[in-house]
Amino acid sequence: MNIFGELSKLYDEIDTLYAAKEFDARARGFARKEAEWRRKRELNDHAYFLFMFTRLEDRIREQSSKLIDRKQTALRNWKARSVWDILPKEKDSAGIHFRNRVALLTEKGSTDYNLIMAYYKLRNTIAHGGDFITPISIPYVLNDMERLHKVLKS
Amino acid sequence: MEDNALSKEHLINHIEDWKKRILDLYSNIGEWVKDDRQYSVKTTRTVRMYEEYMQKFDIEPQNLPAADILKNGKLILSVKPFGLWVTGANGRLDILSEKGSLILSDTSDRFQKPQWRIFSPKNRGKGIVFTKDYLLGLLKQK
């Protein structure tokens, strides 16, 4: 099982448990408890989103770095190589913005590019002190991230 | 949704459309179960909607109805709005029970005829069309 499969299983276990508790509180008429469990589910969604995004981000960094390294090594003509030579090949280098790394792997403005950018924006909102108010549907996100992880290659 | 395509008016229209779709859905659910006297549907309780776009564009929080399905007076399923602006769907609700949650999403395009599909942990892909038969099958398990 790959990492997304593992995350999916773990997420489902926790969300199922919390949802059952939310339902139980509702059935008993405990409105505040119900709201608490709903909030826990929302926070859980955000946590798993961030976790999944880090896996995708790592993949993008790894593949874009491989591509840059390959081009720097393989292109003999310095004019053709020059545009690659100015890019850092290290995976963790801050010398190339994340959006540009994505643009090396999928066409800028394409559906996948826009999807990744939307997730990147959401990731930044959550990671930099956002209010956790965006509803995130993890099953869709999981499908997207798993697919993108597979298709984004150098 | 692209931020530069948004306006407060557009968002309000989208919210009103969402409310209507929810009420139509509950109306259908009521119709589907009405022939079996064991079941009844109540929509008296609400869920607060105050998503990011609403806060950004200074739109007041909304109260959306939830639908409780009872069997012989006991709550067995609860259909609760989860969110409108959710990735991959034109609105999503949760169907809660003692066993957890199923996802009920409208997979239609914005302002088009709703296409409700159920997604479960074992069926994350295309989902199953939400029909009377599906709901009655689900109720029989409770």
Side-chain angles (χ1 to χ4, degrees):
Chain A
M1 192 186 285
N2 65 24
I3 182 66
F4 291 102
E6 285 183 75
L7 287 175
S8 171
K9 204 161 167 267
L10 199 48
Y11 170 80
D12 287 339
E13 275 178 34
I14 295 173
D15 188 63
T16 296
L17 175 66
Y18 285 1
K21 288 196 179 286
E22 182 184 341
F23 176 80
D24 183 63
R26 185 175 181 84
R28 290 170 190 266
F30 298 157
R32 196 163 6 157
K33 270 284 171 204
E34 180 189 351
E36 279 174 19
W37 285 111
R38 182 183 168 100
R39 187 67 182 136
K40 281 185 181 180
R41 290 180 69 210
E42 287 169 1
L43 293 174
N44 192 48
D45 287 345
H46 283 94
Y48 272 85
F49 170 79
L50 283 177
F51 197 165
M52 283 192 280
F53 191 85
T54 62
R55 299 294 89 212
L56 181 65
E57 184 177 359
D58 190 67
R59 174 74 171 173
I60 288 168
R61 286 183 170 277
E62 176 201 54
Q63 292 298 310
S64 58
S65 294
K66 272 186 177 170
L67 176 63
I68 294 166
D69 183 42
R70 199 166 67 237
K71 293 292 187 184
Q72 288 175 349
T73 310
L75 291 169
R76 304 244 173 188
N77 184 297
W78 76 267
K79 284 187 183 177
R81 198 181 63 241
S82 62
V83 70
W84 294 99
D85 279 344
I86 61 175
L87 296 176
K89 65 180 176 189
E90 294 77 19
K91 181 181 156 186
D92 296 323
S93 171
I96 174 169
H97 194 280
F98 180 73
R99 76 172 81 86
N100 291 332
R101 288 186 180 274
V102 177
L104 288 175
L105 302 174
T106 188
E107 188 178 354
K108 210 170 169 183
S110 66
T111 305
D112 279 353
Y113 178 90
N114 291 337
L115 181 62
I116 296 167
M117 287 300 109
Y119 283 145
Y120 180 60
K121 188 179 168 191
L122 179 57
R123 172 258 182 207
N124 288 342
T125 302
I126 296 170
H128 300 310
D131 286 340
F132 301 103
I133 50 174
T134 306
I136 299 176
S137 193
I138 290 295
Y140 300 131
V141 173
L142 198 65
N143 280 343
D144 282 341
M145 299 253 186
E146 199 169 13
R147 181 184 63 80
L148 289 168
H149 197 272
K150 275 187 196 148
V151 304
L152 293 175
K153 290 177 187 165
S154 64
Chain B
M1 261 201 299
E2 293 289 332
D3 278 2
N4 58 11
L6 295 175
S7 67
K8 188 170 178 174
E9 187 186 348
H10 178 93
L11 291 171
I12 289 171
N13 287 343
H14 204 184
I15 292 168
E16 291 305 313
D17 173 71
W18 177 225
K19 283 182 189 173
K20 181 179 184 308
R21 283 186 282 138
I22 289 172
L23 289 174
D24 287 346
L25 173 70
Y26 294 167
S27 175
N28 284 341
I29 290 172
E31 278 294 311
W32 293 345
V33 305
K34 72 175 185 187
D35 291 336
D36 190 330
R37 285 180 166 203
Q38 291 183 97
Y39 301 113
S40 57
V41 181
K42 278 188 181 173
T43 56
T44 46
R45 290 194 278 182
T46 59
V47 169
R48 189 170 179 258
M49 175 192 185
Y50 195 37
E51 297 182 37
E52 187 185 352
Y53 285 132
M54 295 167 75
Q55 297 188 29
K56 238 172 155 172
F57 284 82
D58 197 30
I59 298 172
E60 292 285 308
Q62 306 284 310
N63 285 321
L64 303 178
D68 290 328
I69 303 175
L70 298 96
K71 182 177 180 180
N72 299 321
K74 184 186 169 197
L75 182 67
I76 54 168
L77 287 181
S78 196
V79 186
K80 294 173 73 174
F82 175 90
L84 171 54
W85 295 291
V86 176
T87 305
N90 183 17
R92 168 186 151 179
L93 301 101
D94 281 350
I95 300 182
L96 299 183
S97 72
E98 60 184 8
K99 288 190 179 168
S101 167
L102 295 171
I103 291 171
L104 178 58
S105 289
D106 184 356
T107 55
S108 67
D109 288 332
R110 233 170 285 153
F111 302 113
Q112 298 303 306
K113 187 179 171 194
Q115 292 175 30
W116 295 106
R117 297 187 86 91
I118 286 275
F119 297 83
S120 66
K122 289 179 185 165
N123 188 358
R124 282 194 279 116
K126 288 186 180 173
I128 303 167
V129 178
F130 185 62
T131 59
K132 177 179 176 178
D133 285 344
Y134 180 90
L135 178 64
L136 294 181
L138 190 61
L139 291 174
K140 275 201 180 111
Q141 295 171 28
K142 305 294 170 195

